[in-house]
Amino acid sequence: MEQSDPRELARQGNIEAIATLVNRALQTERIITKINLKDGYLQILLVSEKIPDEQASVNLIRRELQLLNADFAKTVRIYGRELRSEIPAWVQQFPLKPISTNNPQEITNLQSSRTSNKLKSNINSPRSSGDFLNQRIDALEFVQTLRTFRFSAVVPYREALSPALYGHTNVKLLLFFGLFPLGMSFIISQIGFKVGLEQTAWVLGVYYASIWGVVLQNLIRPRHFSWREILKCVLFTVFVGIPLLLFIQKVPLFSFLYAATDWGLIPRLVGFILGVGVLEEVCKALPIYLFFLRSGKLFDPLTLAFYGTMSGLGFAISEGVVYSVVYAFGLVQGEIDFGAYVLTNTIRFVCLPFFHAIWAGIVGYFLGLAAINPSRQVAIIVIGVAIAAMLHGLYDTFSSGFLGLAVMAFSILLFVAYLQHSQQMIEDLRQAELNRSNHEPPNS
């Protein structure tokens, strides 16, 4: 019986025949050869106890395949790996081009192709193993591709842990806002401290107020910024201003105004403006007046507006703690359901600190204007308090409806307008003060 010629079958793309020729070219039994042919790619995997010699293996296989003068593949990719490893140690790829198409050997090739079907029966073509090999080579190729990436480039851990990165303010803020609640929970669990509702409310109040503090600092951009001054304003409002406010609420006139907030629409409006609005806005403005205006320390309206917002945030934190306890009692007694409890607490800790900060910022802004125009200082302060108290009282009166939302939106826009036109307002007041001083008669 006529022996089948592996070269003729190899020209037809027979995997087993190609493997036979590759093994002959390598001239060694210590290398295991696995071959797959798919979509014009001939993939050859060489496995040995030691890593196969890259250049010698590639040169021998390239010469053997080119001598076939066939076009069953356009590209050859050769992998070499150690037997104990799953990852190739090297990969080489080259195009497979026929040496020549105009010679007598081509006729022989064509004649051999007519009898190839008779010869194929002598050599089994392992197609199922080829599919498995294709998947395995694809996986190895993917792993090899992953190895081309440097770990330090994919995970820049040195840069992530460098002190220079931590030095950026935005990075510190991201770490604080991202880790503060989780860090507090971890610390409390480690020390075994039992946290009550009031303590939790303080933590939440500080957290959300800090977020608004960053937003307001970027919005106002005060010329003077000091953590010490911020703490002074916040602590004064919480531990001095609010107790003073609670005491003044018992004065007959103000107790009457506070009581009016439970009556009809007009009494409610008057009570919220002249009672709640005036007292709370004066309470929040008190540290700004004492620490900056009265002492003559700062005269910049934007800076005083900023410290006013910080005082407003401190007021809102303390108020939020009190109301969170009230809401909890309402939940326990069945006066509100759980959904309403969550919603009201969210508004109390997220929205209302910002609202209080805006109104206090307006008063702080007018305190700064008052410093520029001493001759009309009292009038300017009264105007600032009156505007903030009016907005505060209108919101409290209509907070449950659309009008309350509109009042708060106008409050925010008005505050931004003050900030944007502050320079013009400052120049006008300075000019008014200069004109007044020029028209005053000299002292005799």
Side-chain angles (χ1 to χ4, degrees), residues 213-232:
V214 173
V215 172
L216 290 166
Q217 195 272 338
N218 282 276
L219 173 66
I220 301 171
R221 297 191 179 278
R223 292 185 176 90
H224 177 271
F225 179 90
S226 168
W227 284 109
R228 182 172 177 270
E229 300 298 339
I230 291 174
L231 288 175
K232 282 172 60 177

mmCIF file with all atom_site columns, all heavy atoms in Angstrom, residues 213-232:
data_model
loop_
_atom_site.group_PDB
_atom_site.id
_atom_site.type_symbol
_atom_site.label_atom_id
_atom_site.label_alt_id
_atom_site.label_comp_id
_atom_site.label_asym_id
_atom_site.label_entity_id
_atom_site.label_seq_id
_atom_site.pdbx_PDB_ins_code
_atom_site.Cartn_x
_atom_site.Cartn_y
_atom_site.Cartn_z
_atom_site.occupancy
_atom_site.B_iso_or_equiv
_atom_site.pdbx_formal_charge
_atom_site.auth_seq_id
_atom_site.auth_comp_id
_atom_site.auth_asym_id
_atom_site.auth_atom_id
_atom_site.pdbx_PDB_model_num
ATOM 1   N N   . GLY A 1 213 ? -20.067 73.009 54.353 1.00 0.00 ? 213 GLY A N   1
ATOM 2   C CA  . GLY A 1 213 ? -18.980 73.951 54.598 1.00 0.00 ? 213 GLY A CA  1
ATOM 3   C C   . GLY A 1 213 ? -18.014 74.026 53.438 1.00 0.00 ? 213 GLY A C   1
ATOM 4   O O   . GLY A 1 213 ? -17.581 75.118 53.039 1.00 0.00 ? 213 GLY A O   1
ATOM 5   N N   . VAL A 1 214 ? -17.673 72.869 52.875 1.00 0.00 ? 214 VAL A N   1
ATOM 6   C CA  . VAL A 1 214 ? -16.782 72.843 51.712 1.00 0.00 ? 214 VAL A CA  1
ATOM 7   C C   . VAL A 1 214 ? -17.448 73.515 50.514 1.00 0.00 ? 214 VAL A C   1
ATOM 8   O O   . VAL A 1 214 ? -16.820 74.298 49.780 1.00 0.00 ? 214 VAL A O   1
ATOM 9   C CB  . VAL A 1 214 ? -16.393 71.390 51.377 1.00 0.00 ? 214 VAL A CB  1
ATOM 10  C CG1 . VAL A 1 214 ? -15.605 71.329 50.075 1.00 0.00 ? 214 VAL A CG1 1
ATOM 11  C CG2 . VAL A 1 214 ? -15.585 70.784 52.510 1.00 0.00 ? 214 VAL A CG2 1
ATOM 12  N N   . VAL A 1 215 ? -18.731 73.218 50.306 1.00 0.00 ? 215 VAL A N   1
ATOM 13  C CA  . VAL A 1 215 ? -19.455 73.826 49.176 1.00 0.00 ? 215 VAL A CA  1
ATOM 14  C C   . VAL A 1 215 ? -19.484 75.348 49.323 1.00 0.00 ? 215 VAL A C   1
ATOM 15  O O   . VAL A 1 215 ? -19.215 76.095 48.363 1.00 0.00 ? 215 VAL A O   1
ATOM 16  C CB  . VAL A 1 215 ? -20.892 73.265 49.107 1.00 0.00 ? 215 VAL A CB  1
ATOM 17  C CG1 . VAL A 1 215 ? -21.716 74.024 48.066 1.00 0.00 ? 215 VAL A CG1 1
ATOM 18  C CG2 . VAL A 1 215 ? -20.871 71.777 48.777 1.00 0.00 ? 215 VAL A CG2 1
ATOM 19  N N   . LEU A 1 216 ? -19.786 75.828 50.508 1.00 0.00 ? 216 LEU A N   1
ATOM 20  C CA  . LEU A 1 216 ? -19.889 77.271 50.726 1.00 0.00 ? 216 LEU A CA  1
ATOM 21  C C   . LEU A 1 216 ? -18.529 77.954 50.632 1.00 0.00 ? 216 LEU A C   1
ATOM 22  O O   . LEU A 1 216 ? -18.419 79.085 50.138 1.00 0.00 ? 216 LEU A O   1
ATOM 23  C CB  . LEU A 1 216 ? -20.524 77.532 52.095 1.00 0.00 ? 216 LEU A CB  1
ATOM 24  C CG  . LEU A 1 216 ? -22.013 77.180 52.190 1.00 0.00 ? 216 LEU A CG  1
ATOM 25  C CD1 . LEU A 1 216 ? -22.469 77.137 53.638 1.00 0.00 ? 216 LEU A CD1 1
ATOM 26  C CD2 . LEU A 1 216 ? -22.852 78.163 51.390 1.00 0.00 ? 216 LEU A CD2 1
ATOM 27  N N   . GLN A 1 217 ? -17.485 77.289 51.101 1.00 0.00 ? 217 GLN A N   1
ATOM 28  C CA  . GLN A 1 217 ? -16.151 77.878 50.996 1.00 0.00 ? 217 GLN A CA  1
ATOM 29  C C   . GLN A 1 217 ? -15.746 78.059 49.535 1.00 0.00 ? 217 GLN A C   1
ATOM 30  O O   . GLN A 1 217 ? -15.152 79.083 49.162 1.00 0.00 ? 217 GLN A O   1
ATOM 31  C CB  . GLN A 1 217 ? -15.140 76.990 51.732 1.00 0.00 ? 217 GLN A CB  1
ATOM 32  C CG  . GLN A 1 217 ? -13.801 77.654 52.000 1.00 0.00 ? 217 GLN A CG  1
ATOM 33  C CD  . GLN A 1 217 ? -12.815 77.488 50.866 1.00 0.00 ? 217 GLN A CD  1
ATOM 34  O OE1 . GLN A 1 217 ? -12.945 76.565 50.065 1.00 0.00 ? 217 GLN A OE1 1
ATOM 35  N NE2 . GLN A 1 217 ? -11.833 78.369 50.796 1.00 0.00 ? 217 GLN A NE2 1
ATOM 36  N N   . ASN A 1 218 ? -16.083 77.082 48.698 1.00 0.00 ? 218 ASN A N   1
ATOM 37  C CA  . ASN A 1 218 ? -15.780 77.196 47.272 1.00 0.00 ? 218 ASN A CA  1
ATOM 38  C C   . ASN A 1 218 ? -16.692 78.196 46.571 1.00 0.00 ? 218 ASN A C   1
ATOM 39  O O   . ASN A 1 218 ? -16.295 78.796 45.570 1.00 0.00 ? 218 ASN A O   1
ATOM 40  C CB  . ASN A 1 218 ? -15.909 75.820 46.598 1.00 0.00 ? 218 ASN A CB  1
ATOM 41  C CG  . ASN A 1 218 ? -14.710 74.938 46.864 1.00 0.00 ? 218 ASN A CG  1
ATOM 42  O OD1 . ASN A 1 218 ? -13.701 75.016 46.180 1.00 0.00 ? 218 ASN A OD1 1
ATOM 43  N ND2 . ASN A 1 218 ? -14.797 74.079 47.870 1.00 0.00 ? 218 ASN A ND2 1
ATOM 44  N N   . LEU A 1 219 ? -17.910 78.375 47.080 1.00 0.00 ? 219 LEU A N   1
ATOM 45  C CA  . LEU A 1 219 ? -18.827 79.349 46.486 1.00 0.00 ? 219 LEU A CA  1
ATOM 46  C C   . LEU A 1 219 ? -18.435 80.776 46.852 1.00 0.00 ? 219 LEU A C   1
ATOM 47  O O   . LEU A 1 219 ? -18.380 81.657 45.978 1.00 0.00 ? 219 LEU A O   1
ATOM 48  C CB  . LEU A 1 219 ? -20.253 79.073 46.968 1.00 0.00 ? 219 LEU A CB  1
ATOM 49  C CG  . LEU A 1 219 ? -21.332 80.092 46.571 1.00 0.00 ? 219 LEU A CG  1
ATOM 50  C CD1 . LEU A 1 219 ? -21.531 80.081 45.061 1.00 0.00 ? 219 LEU A CD1 1
ATOM 51  C CD2 . LEU A 1 219 ? -22.638 79.809 47.290 1.00 0.00 ? 219 LEU A CD2 1
ATOM 52  N N   . ILE A 1 220 ? -18.140 81.016 48.119 1.00 0.00 ? 220 ILE A N   1
ATOM 53  C CA  . ILE A 1 220 ? -17.866 82.377 48.592 1.00 0.00 ? 220 ILE A CA  1
ATOM 54  C C   . ILE A 1 220 ? -16.421 82.789 48.322 1.00 0.00 ? 220 ILE A C   1
ATOM 55  O O   . ILE A 1 220 ? -16.149 83.933 47.962 1.00 0.00 ? 220 ILE A O   1
ATOM 56  C CB  . ILE A 1 220 ? -18.184 82.483 50.096 1.00 0.00 ? 220 ILE A CB  1
ATOM 57  C CG1 . ILE A 1 220 ? -19.651 82.121 50.347 1.00 0.00 ? 220 ILE A CG1 1
ATOM 58  C CG2 . ILE A 1 220 ? -17.885 83.880 50.622 1.00 0.00 ? 220 ILE A CG2 1
ATOM 59  C CD1 . ILE A 1 220 ? -20.014 81.989 51.820 1.00 0.00 ? 220 ILE A CD1 1
ATOM 60  N N   . ARG A 1 221 ? -15.488 81.870 48.509 1.00 0.00 ? 221 ARG A N   1
ATOM 61  C CA  . ARG A 1 221 ? -14.051 82.133 48.365 1.00 0.00 ? 221 ARG A CA  1
ATOM 62  C C   . ARG A 1 221 ? -13.630 83.349 49.194 1.00 0.00 ? 221 ARG A C   1
ATOM 63  O O   . ARG A 1 221 ? -13.238 84.395 48.656 1.00 0.00 ? 221 ARG A O   1
ATOM 64  C CB  . ARG A 1 221 ? -13.675 82.328 46.897 1.00 0.00 ? 221 ARG A CB  1
ATOM 65  C CG  . ARG A 1 221 ? -13.919 81.096 46.056 1.00 0.00 ? 221 ARG A CG  1
ATOM 66  C CD  . ARG A 1 221 ? -13.311 81.191 44.678 1.00 0.00 ? 221 ARG A CD  1
ATOM 67  N NE  . ARG A 1 221 ? -13.540 79.987 43.926 1.00 0.00 ? 221 ARG A NE  1
ATOM 68  C CZ  . ARG A 1 221 ? -12.817 78.881 44.019 1.00 0.00 ? 221 ARG A CZ  1
ATOM 69  N NH1 . ARG A 1 221 ? -11.810 78.833 44.856 1.00 0.00 ? 221 ARG A NH1 1
ATOM 70  N NH2 . ARG A 1 221 ? -13.092 77.820 43.286 1.00 0.00 ? 221 ARG A NH2 1
ATOM 71  N N   . PRO A 1 222 ? -13.719 83.235 50.517 1.00 0.00 ? 222 PRO A N   1
ATOM 72  C CA  . PRO A 1 222 ? -13.368 84.373 51.375 1.00 0.00 ? 222 PRO A CA  1
ATOM 73  C C   . PRO A 1 222 ? -11.888 84.717 51.286 1.00 0.00 ? 222 PRO A C   1
ATOM 74  O O   . PRO A 1 222 ? -11.048 83.838 51.055 1.00 0.00 ? 222 PRO A O   1
ATOM 75  C CB  . PRO A 1 222 ? -13.743 83.870 52.777 1.00 0.00 ? 222 PRO A CB  1
ATOM 76  C CG  . PRO A 1 222 ? -13.610 82.383 52.691 1.00 0.00 ? 222 PRO A CG  1
ATOM 77  C CD  . PRO A 1 222 ? -14.050 82.022 51.296 1.00 0.00 ? 222 PRO A CD  1
ATOM 78  N N   . ARG A 1 223 ? -11.580 85.984 51.472 1.00 0.00 ? 223 ARG A N   1
ATOM 79  C CA  . ARG A 1 223 ? -10.176 86.411 51.424 1.00 0.00 ? 223 ARG A CA  1
ATOM 80  C C   . ARG A 1 223 ? -9.418  85.941 52.652 1.00 0.00 ? 223 ARG A C   1
ATOM 81  O O   . ARG A 1 223 ? -8.194  85.804 52.623 1.00 0.00 ? 223 ARG A O   1
ATOM 82  C CB  . ARG A 1 223 ? -10.106 87.936 51.312 1.00 0.00 ? 223 ARG A CB  1
ATOM 83  C CG  . ARG A 1 223 ? -10.626 88.469 49.988 1.00 0.00 ? 223 ARG A CG  1
ATOM 84  C CD  . ARG A 1 223 ? -10.417 89.991 49.893 1.00 0.00 ? 223 ARG A CD  1
ATOM 85  N NE  . ARG A 1 223 ? -10.829 90.481 48.584 1.00 0.00 ? 223 ARG A NE  1
ATOM 86  C CZ  . ARG A 1 223 ? -12.055 90.889 48.301 1.00 0.00 ? 223 ARG A CZ  1
ATOM 87  N NH1 . ARG A 1 223 ? -12.997 90.840 49.232 1.00 0.00 ? 223 ARG A NH1 1
ATOM 88  N NH2 . ARG A 1 223 ? -12.360 91.338 47.105 1.00 0.00 ? 223 ARG A NH2 1
ATOM 89  N N   . HIS A 1 224 ? -10.119 85.729 53.737 1.00 0.00 ? 224 HIS A N   1
ATOM 90  C CA  . HIS A 1 224 ? -9.486  85.261 54.970 1.00 0.00 ? 224 HIS A CA  1
ATOM 91  C C   . HIS A 1 224 ? -10.142 83.950 55.393 1.00 0.00 ? 224 HIS A C   1
ATOM 92  O O   . HIS A 1 224 ? -11.364 83.856 55.475 1.00 0.00 ? 224 HIS A O   1
ATOM 93  C CB  . HIS A 1 224 ? -9.663  86.309 56.077 1.00 0.00 ? 224 HIS A CB  1
ATOM 94  C CG  . HIS A 1 224 ? -9.102  85.889 57.397 1.00 0.00 ? 224 HIS A CG  1
ATOM 95  N ND1 . HIS A 1 224 ? -9.837  85.183 58.338 1.00 0.00 ? 224 HIS A ND1 1
ATOM 96  C CD2 . HIS A 1 224 ? -7.875  86.059 57.949 1.00 0.00 ? 224 HIS A CD2 1
ATOM 97  C CE1 . HIS A 1 224 ? -9.098  84.943 59.397 1.00 0.00 ? 224 HIS A CE1 1
ATOM 98  N NE2 . HIS A 1 224 ? -7.900  85.471 59.198 1.00 0.00 ? 224 HIS A NE2 1
ATOM 99  N N   . PHE A 1 225 ? -9.312  82.929 55.643 1.00 0.00 ? 225 PHE A N   1
ATOM 100 C CA  . PHE A 1 225 ? -9.833  81.614 56.049 1.00 0.00 ? 225 PHE A CA  1
ATOM 101 C C   . PHE A 1 225 ? -9.007  81.124 57.223 1.00 0.00 ? 225 PHE A C   1
ATOM 102 O O   . PHE A 1 225 ? -7.776  81.090 57.167 1.00 0.00 ? 225 PHE A O   1
ATOM 103 C CB  . PHE A 1 225 ? -9.741  80.610 54.903 1.00 0.00 ? 225 PHE A CB  1
ATOM 104 C CG  . PHE A 1 225 ? -10.236 79.234 55.259 1.00 0.00 ? 225 PHE A CG  1
ATOM 105 C CD1 . PHE A 1 225 ? -11.561 78.887 55.069 1.00 0.00 ? 225 PHE A CD1 1
ATOM 106 C CD2 . PHE A 1 225 ? -9.368  78.282 55.800 1.00 0.00 ? 225 PHE A CD2 1
ATOM 107 C CE1 . PHE A 1 225 ? -12.022 77.615 55.400 1.00 0.00 ? 225 PHE A CE1 1
ATOM 108 C CE2 . PHE A 1 225 ? -9.814  77.022 56.139 1.00 0.00 ? 225 PHE A CE2 1
ATOM 109 C CZ  . PHE A 1 225 ? -11.152 76.691 55.933 1.00 0.00 ? 225 PHE A CZ  1
ATOM 110 N N   . SER A 1 226 ? -9.700  80.757 58.306 1.00 0.00 ? 226 SER A N   1
ATOM 111 C CA  . SER A 1 226 ? -9.007  80.264 59.493 1.00 0.00 ? 226 SER A CA  1
ATOM 112 C C   . SER A 1 226 ? -9.871  79.222 60.181 1.00 0.00 ? 226 SER A C   1
ATOM 113 O O   . SER A 1 226 ? -11.036 79.484 60.511 1.00 0.00 ? 226 SER A O   1
ATOM 114 C CB  . SER A 1 226 ? -8.719  81.431 60.454 1.00 0.00 ? 226 SER A CB  1
ATOM 115 O OG  . SER A 1 226 ? -8.295  80.954 61.717 1.00 0.00 ? 226 SER A OG  1
ATOM 116 N N   . TRP A 1 227 ? -9.289  78.035 60.393 1.00 0.00 ? 227 TRP A N   1
ATOM 117 C CA  . TRP A 1 227 ? -10.009 76.997 61.127 1.00 0.00 ? 227 TRP A CA  1
ATOM 118 C C   . TRP A 1 227 ? -10.318 77.456 62.553 1.00 0.00 ? 227 TRP A C   1
ATOM 119 O O   . TRP A 1 227 ? -11.365 77.116 63.117 1.00 0.00 ? 227 TRP A O   1
ATOM 120 C CB  . TRP A 1 227 ? -9.188  75.713 61.162 1.00 0.00 ? 227 TRP A CB  1
ATOM 121 C CG  . TRP A 1 227 ? -9.191  74.960 59.876 1.00 0.00 ? 227 TRP A CG  1
ATOM 122 C CD1 . TRP A 1 227 ? -8.149  74.831 59.010 1.00 0.00 ? 227 TRP A CD1 1
ATOM 123 C CD2 . TRP A 1 227 ? -10.281 74.232 59.317 1.00 0.00 ? 227 TRP A CD2 1
ATOM 124 N NE1 . TRP A 1 227 ? -8.533  74.059 57.931 1.00 0.00 ? 227 TRP A NE1 1
ATOM 125 C CE2 . TRP A 1 227 ? -9.829  73.678 58.091 1.00 0.00 ? 227 TRP A CE2 1
ATOM 126 C CE3 . TRP A 1 227 ? -11.592 73.993 59.719 1.00 0.00 ? 227 TRP A CE3 1
ATOM 127 C CZ2 . TRP A 1 227 ? -10.641 72.904 57.286 1.00 0.00 ? 227 TRP A CZ2 1
ATOM 128 C CZ3 . TRP A 1 227 ? -12.409 73.227 58.909 1.00 0.00 ? 227 TRP A CZ3 1
ATOM 129 C CH2 . TRP A 1 227 ? -11.925 72.691 57.711 1.00 0.00 ? 227 TRP A CH2 1
ATOM 130 N N   . ARG A 1 228 ? -9.415  78.226 63.119 1.00 0.00 ? 228 ARG A N   1
ATOM 131 C CA  . ARG A 1 228 ? -9.620  78.722 64.483 1.00 0.00 ? 228 ARG A CA  1
ATOM 132 C C   . ARG A 1 228 ? -10.849 79.623 64.553 1.00 0.00 ? 228 ARG A C   1
ATOM 133 O O   . ARG A 1 228 ? -11.674 79.503 65.476 1.00 0.00 ? 228 ARG A O   1
ATOM 134 C CB  . ARG A 1 228 ? -8.371  79.472 64.935 1.00 0.00 ? 228 ARG A CB  1
ATOM 135 C CG  . ARG A 1 228 ? -8.436  80.009 66.358 1.00 0.00 ? 228 ARG A CG  1
ATOM 136 C CD  . ARG A 1 228 ? -7.086  80.571 66.770 1.00 0.00 ? 228 ARG A CD  1
ATOM 137 N NE  . ARG A 1 228 ? -7.147  81.149 68.107 1.00 0.00 ? 228 ARG A NE  1
ATOM 138 C CZ  . ARG A 1 228 ? -7.456  82.410 68.376 1.00 0.00 ? 228 ARG A CZ  1
ATOM 139 N NH1 . ARG A 1 228 ? -7.734  83.230 67.375 1.00 0.00 ? 228 ARG A NH1 1
ATOM 140 N NH2 . ARG A 1 228 ? -7.487  82.854 69.616 1.00 0.00 ? 228 ARG A NH2 1
ATOM 141 N N   . GLU A 1 229 ? -10.980 80.515 63.586 1.00 0.00 ? 229 GLU A N   1
ATOM 142 C CA  . GLU A 1 229 ? -12.134 81.419 63.578 1.00 0.00 ? 229 GLU A CA  1
ATOM 143 C C   . GLU A 1 229 ? -13.433 80.653 63.307 1.00 0.00 ? 229 GLU A C   1
ATOM 144 O O   . GLU A 1 229 ? -14.486 80.981 63.869 1.00 0.00 ? 229 GLU A O   1
ATOM 145 C CB  . GLU A 1 229 ? -11.938 82.511 62.525 1.00 0.00 ? 229 GLU A CB  1
ATOM 146 C CG  . GLU A 1 229 ? -10.709 83.383 62.728 1.00 0.00 ? 229 GLU A CG  1
ATOM 147 C CD  . GLU A 1 229 ? -10.751 84.166 64.037 1.00 0.00 ? 229 GLU A CD  1
ATOM 148 O OE1 . GLU A 1 229 ? -11.858 84.348 64.594 1.00 0.00 ? 229 GLU A OE1 1
ATOM 149 O OE2 . GLU A 1 229 ? -9.687  84.581 64.509 1.00 0.00 ? 229 GLU A OE2 1
ATOM 150 N N   . ILE A 1 230 ? -13.354 79.640 62.455 1.00 0.00 ? 230 ILE A N   1
ATOM 151 C CA  . ILE A 1 230 ? -14.544 78.822 62.197 1.00 0.00 ? 230 ILE A CA  1
ATOM 152 C C   . ILE A 1 230 ? -15.016 78.145 63.478 1.00 0.00 ? 230 ILE A C   1
ATOM 153 O O   . ILE A 1 230 ? -16.208 78.166 63.821 1.00 0.00 ? 230 ILE A O   1
ATOM 154 C CB  . ILE A 1 230 ? -14.246 77.771 61.104 1.00 0.00 ? 230 ILE A CB  1
ATOM 155 C CG1 . ILE A 1 230 ? -14.050 78.456 59.748 1.00 0.00 ? 230 ILE A CG1 1
ATOM 156 C CG2 . ILE A 1 230 ? -15.379 76.751 61.013 1.00 0.00 ? 230 ILE A CG2 1
ATOM 157 C CD1 . ILE A 1 230 ? -13.616 77.517 58.649 1.00 0.00 ? 230 ILE A CD1 1
ATOM 158 N N   . LEU A 1 231 ? -14.077 77.522 64.198 1.00 0.00 ? 231 LEU A N   1
ATOM 159 C CA  . LEU A 1 231 ? -14.437 76.842 65.449 1.00 0.00 ? 231 LEU A CA  1
ATOM 160 C C   . LEU A 1 231 ? -14.976 77.826 66.473 1.00 0.00 ? 231 LEU A C   1
ATOM 161 O O   . LEU A 1 231 ? -15.926 77.511 67.216 1.00 0.00 ? 231 LEU A O   1
ATOM 162 C CB  . LEU A 1 231 ? -13.211 76.111 66.002 1.00 0.00 ? 231 LEU A CB  1
ATOM 163 C CG  . LEU A 1 231 ? -12.782 74.851 65.243 1.00 0.00 ? 231 LEU A CG  1
ATOM 164 C CD1 . LEU A 1 231 ? -11.491 74.297 65.821 1.00 0.00 ? 231 LEU A CD1 1
ATOM 165 C CD2 . LEU A 1 231 ? -13.883 73.795 65.286 1.00 0.00 ? 231 LEU A CD2 1
ATOM 166 N N   . LYS A 1 232 ? -14.406 79.013 66.532 1.00 0.00 ? 232 LYS A N   1
ATOM 167 C CA  . LYS A 1 232 ? -14.894 80.020 67.476 1.00 0.00 ? 232 LYS A CA  1
ATOM 168 C C   . LYS A 1 232 ? -16.352 80.373 67.181 1.00 0.00 ? 232 LYS A C   1
ATOM 169 O O   . LYS A 1 232 ? -17.186 80.439 68.095 1.00 0.00 ? 232 LYS A O   1
ATOM 170 C CB  . LYS A 1 232 ? -14.025 81.278 67.402 1.00 0.00 ? 232 LYS A CB  1
ATOM 171 C CG  . LYS A 1 232 ? -12.704 81.164 68.133 1.00 0.00 ? 232 LYS A CG  1
ATOM 172 C CD  . LYS A 1 232 ? -11.820 82.368 67.856 1.00 0.00 ? 232 LYS A CD  1
ATOM 173 C CE  . LYS A 1 232 ? -12.471 83.664 68.288 1.00 0.00 ? 232 LYS A CE  1
ATOM 174 N NZ  . LYS A 1 232 ? -11.582 84.827 68.082 1.00 0.00 ? 232 LYS A NZ  1
#
